[in-house]
Amino acid sequence: MAAEAKTMKETNNLNVYKGPESIRDYFDPDTAPPLPLVEVPASLNPYHGDGVRIFAKMMSMHPANNVKCMPALNLLEKSIKPDVTKTIVEYSSGSTVLSMSLIGRAIYGLDDIRAFLSNKTSIAKIRLMQLFGISITLFGGPSQPEPLDERGGIRAAQRLGSETDEAINPNQYENDNNWKSHVRWTGPQIVKQLPEINLICAGMGTSGTMTGLGTYFKGAKPNVFRLGVCTAAGDRVPGPRSYALLGPVTFPWKSSVDHVEEVGSYESYRLSLELCRQGLVCGPSSGFNLKGLYQYIDKQKADGSLSKLAGSDGLINCVFLCCDLPYQYVNEYFEKLDNSCFPPVKNEELLKVDLYRYDEKWEWEASKALQHYFYVNEKQMDELMRRAQETCVCEIPKLSAALQSRDNAAIIDLRQPSDFDKGKLPGSMNIPLAQPGTKSPFFDPANLSSLWTQLEKEFASPSGELTSLKGKNTLVVCYDGDSARVAASVMRAKGYEVNSLRAGLDGLVTMLSNPQSCGKSEPEKQPSWLQLCEAQRPTTDPVDASSANPSSELRTIQQATVSV
């Protein structure tokens, strides 16, 4: 990736990368188009009326999605020995070592990437590094140890890197190739994109970014004001350090800045939130940089010296760096900011219930369920359906004449005892958790919460008949099918083999009685039980038509309320 081997005319303006060097070229700032420079909208620029124009340099748009991609490229290019280096180890809280892992694997074919980091690093960051295949070693003590502290992880990484030729520690804290990457790439990109720049602003952690940019602009455009930003004493923002912790840093950062602002975490997260919502998706250190810029402009405006920063066109063109993305810090946004910063979650109580998966395969139509869980006497069933179609009040005989439970099948009926006693599927047991006349649990969060909690309690420590259901093929039924669907989800999670009856027993009665056909067509034109079932007939476990006596169990017509 030597810079001298590329020219700006060779830049891949279409952003397409092909061939054996495609990934290398994709990561290479000399080949790829410059990272976007986007003006912040006036709604986020309180100084727009003062002639201040603020631009975000989107370092997060590099393939590695963070500002550390530039140092990582430069450090590894200068450190890796082909056919010798096998291991990369770096003390990093995330962005640097993550970039090194991507570049090390994609460009240099190295799989052994190790991160030394503080035990105070968020779990989200740790999981992110694991996701990218980084081996992690945690260290106690300060989250940002001094580079020369023998007890800290920075020195431990240096020691490991010096033990063998196969391991390298690029050492972002002391290696000048860190800050020189911004002299090589970031500074020239910004000047090409915005020649009229008047102020450059960046945060300081290792101080590499600001040292590099400050050094570059001192030579390329000496009139550009160089603003560094540090964390307020006693506070913490991911990435940058406090002014005191910059003391031991060996980079020439003091000669690379004209002024330093200190910013706290609340303002950093709050401004980052606003940037994200306005389309500039970035992490808290980006809001940190912008807040530092705001503070400095405020002071110059208060002193009446803001115009001294203006260019020949009377405008003050400022650039701050957007360093990474917000996703790995989501939990921290909610810890740092108050609830007023976020829209409320409706039905938030559902976050604690209904926790198990659903599957459409567990919700069965009535015809399929009856065939699978019962031996169906088809002649008796057709007679039952015919009788139902002949009477306009849609009264039908009980199903016990046409159905007989299959071996190893079980039925759970969630309806209330009074309804269960009036009519039920053969062999059912009653667990009265569903209420008649109530909204579906999927339309009533309180109903769902109550039902799921009861089911969870019932099946977490089952007793009595429920203990015999393990190993059985169980069907759950209710009034409309939805409570049974919830029960199937819970029971499946507890290891039961269970399905639910779609549309419930109300739907089953409707299917059998087909009331809309009463008096409108001749019985012989109605579909038979076999025709209703044919599309869903199981390929195994065929119906045993002889298992029930077709002449012995036809019951008399029931009352106007259909009984199953």
Side-chain angles (χ1 to χ4, degrees):
M1 283 186 292
E4 58 271 19
K6 307 285 184 183
T7 68
M8 294 307 291
K9 292 182 180 180
E10 293 174 311
T11 297
N12 184 354
N13 292 319
L14 293 180
N15 226 6
V16 177
Y17 305 90
K18 299 179 179 179
E21 300 295 315
S22 59
I23 300 298
R24 180 184 293 268
D25 290 341
Y26 176 48
F27 275 78
D28 187 352
D30 292 320
T31 302
L35 300 175
L37 187 69
V38 185
E39 184 173 358
V40 170
S43 60
L44 281 179
N45 179 3
Y47 314 101
H48 193 271
D50 300 305
V52 177
R53 301 295 180 264
I54 301 175
F55 295 82
K57 178 63 173 175
M58 304 301 293
M59 304 303 292
S60 56
M61 296 298 289
H62 186 274
N65 296 133
N66 64 74
V67 68
K68 299 295 188 177
C69 58
M70 301 300 195
L73 282 163
N74 210 39
L75 287 165
L76 294 186
E77 180 184 295
K78 302 296 195 297
S79 302
I80 289 177
K81 300 175 183 177
D83 301 322
V84 176
T85 302
K86 306 294 183 188
T87 300
I88 300 171
V89 58
E90 185 71 9
Y91 187 90
S92 166
S93 61
S95 292
T96 301
V97 75
L98 193 148
S99 295
M100 287 181 176
S101 74
L102 293 172
I103 295 163
R105 284 188 175 88
I107 297 178
Y108 298 102
L110 300 177
D111 292 324
D112 187 7
I113 316 295
R114 306 181 191 182
F116 286 8
L117 65 155
S118 167
N119 64 331
K120 297 164 185 64
T121 305
S122 70
I123 292 297
K125 274 193 170 185
I126 291 174
R127 294 291 179 257
L128 182 66
M129 285 186 273
Q130 288 180 297
L131 180 71
F132 283 93
I134 300 170
S135 299
I136 296 171
T137 301
L138 299 177
F139 287 81
S143 59
Q144 293 178 321
E146 294 185 8
L148 300 180
D149 187 347
E150 292 293 335
R151 301 165 295 180
I154 295 176
R155 290 292 293 146
Q158 292 173 355
R159 288 193 294 270
L160 180 59
S162 63
E163 287 177 359
T164 171
D165 290 340
E166 292 186 349
I168 61 167
N169 169 226
N171 191 6
Q172 60 173 322
Y173 299 93
E174 297 180 351
N175 191 329
D176 287 345
N177 288 313
N178 176 343
W179 63 266
K180 288 181 178 179
S181 66
H182 297 291
V183 176
R184 179 179 177 182
W185 288 309
T186 314
Q189 279 191 15
I190 293 172
V191 168
K192 182 174 177 62
Q193 292 170 310
L194 191 70
E196 62 272 30
I197 182 174
N198 306 113
L199 185 151
I200 182 71
C201 173
M204 295 192 292
T206 66
S207 79
T209 304
M210 197 61 230
T211 299
L213 290 173
T215 300
Y216 173 78
F217 280 102
K218 184 177 182 179
K221 289 184 73 69
N223 291 332
V224 170
F225 189 84
R226 304 165 301 168
L227 177 63
V229 188
C230 290
T231 310
D235 207 343
R236 182 179 177 275
V237 177
R241 291 172 171 244
S242 66
Y243 193 89
L245 285 176
L246 283 172
V249 175
T250 59
F251 295 158
W253 60 270
K254 290 184 178 179
S255 63
S256 303
V257 295
D258 299 308
H259 179 76
V260 174
E261 285 289 332
E262 294 184 334
V263 171
S265 58
Y266 181 88
E267 297 86 354
S268 303
Y269 282 87
R270 190 72 180 86
L271 260 182
S272 165
L273 194 72
E274 294 304 317
L275 286 166
C276 288
R277 291 175 178 178
Q278 293 295 325
L280 293 171
V281 182
C282 58
S285 61
S286 306
F288 172 84
N289 292 340
L290 182 56
K291 180 61 179 178
L293 177 59
Y294 282 179
Q295 289 179 185
Y296 182 73
I297 293 173
D298 260 339
K299 292 175 181 177
Q300 298 309 300
K301 186 176 178 180
D303 292 344
S305 56
L306 185 59
S307 60
K308 294 180 180 179
L309 295 171
S312 58
D313 58 0
L315 297 177
I316 304 169
N317 294 290
C318 308
V319 174
F320 74 101
L321 268 60
C322 281
C323 303
D324 62 2
L325 298 173
Y327 309 114
Q328 60 185 313
Y329 310 106
V330 167
N331 290 339
E332 294 174 44
Y333 280 91
F334 286 86
E335 292 170 0
K336 294 287 184 180
L337 304 178
D338 54 72
N339 291 337
S340 65
C341 296
F342 306 98
V345 177
K346 295 180 180 179
N347 305 332
E348 191 169 6
E349 65 268 29
L350 295 185
L351 292 174
K352 298 179 180 179
V353 299
D354 197 26
L355 304 179
Y356 308 128
R357 64 179 290 246
Y358 289 82
D359 195 316
E360 291 184 0
K361 294 184 295 185
W362 304 340
E363 194 176 16
W364 287 17
E365 299 291 348
S367 56
K368 178 180 179 182
L370 291 183
Q371 286 187 98
H372 187 82
Y373 288 93
F374 299 93
Y375 295 110
V376 179
N377 187 312
E378 293 164 358
K379 291 181 181 179
Q380 198 78 296
M381 185 64 78
D382 284 340
E383 172 68 10
L384 183 151
M385 293 178 66
R386 184 187 66 77
R387 295 288 297 277
Q389 293 155 11
E390 286 178 344
T391 173
C392 288
V393 293
C394 301
E395 299 162 343
I396 61 174
K398 288 187 176 181
L399 290 174
S400 57
L403 300 177
Q404 178 179 317
S405 297
R406 288 185 180 274
D407 298 336
N408 206 44
I411 311 296
I412 293 179
D413 192 326
L414 300 179
R415 297 176 302 156
Q416 291 302 299
S418 58
D419 296 310
F420 179 79
D421 292 339
K422 289 178 182 177
K424 54 184 175 293
L425 291 174
S428 298
M429 71 170 67
N430 188 214
I431 305 178
L433 298 180
Q435 296 291 337
T438 58
K439 287 184 179 180
S440 161
F442 300 113
F443 293 100
D444 184 344
N447 186 9
L448 176 56
S449 181
S450 174
L451 175 63
W452 188 90
T453 301
Q454 292 179 78
L455 286 163
E456 176 72 6
K457 181 179 179 181
E458 194 80 41
F459 289 97
S461 300
S463 59
E465 285 186 285
L466 296 182
T467 58
S468 65
L469 295 179
K470 280 288 183 77
K472 286 191 174 184
N473 195 0
T474 303
L475 178 70
V476 187
V477 301
C478 65
Y479 294 100
D480 62 3
D482 285 350
S483 295
R485 186 184 182 210
V486 177
S489 170
V490 172
M491 292 179 68
R492 285 272 181 174
K494 306 300 182 185
Y496 293 87
E497 183 65 30
V498 60
N499 301 295
S500 66
L501 181 64
R502 185 189 294 271
L505 291 178
D506 292 348
L508 173 61
V509 168
T510 300
M511 185 199 80
L512 293 175
S513 59
N514 197 16
Q516 70 272 19
S517 67
C518 295
K520 296 183 180 180
S521 61
E522 298 179 8
E524 59 269 26
K525 293 184 179 180
Q526 297 300 320
S528 71
W529 165 255
L530 285 175
Q531 289 172 318
L532 283 172
C533 292
E534 193 62 39
Q536 299 185 74
R537 183 181 295 281
T539 56
T540 60
D541 199 13
V543 169
D544 184 354
S546 64
S547 62
N549 185 341
S551 62
S552 64
E553 299 225 8
L554 269 176
R555 304 297 178 88
T556 58
I557 301 298
Q558 302 300 304
Q559 300 303 317
T561 301
V562 173
S563 177
V564 297

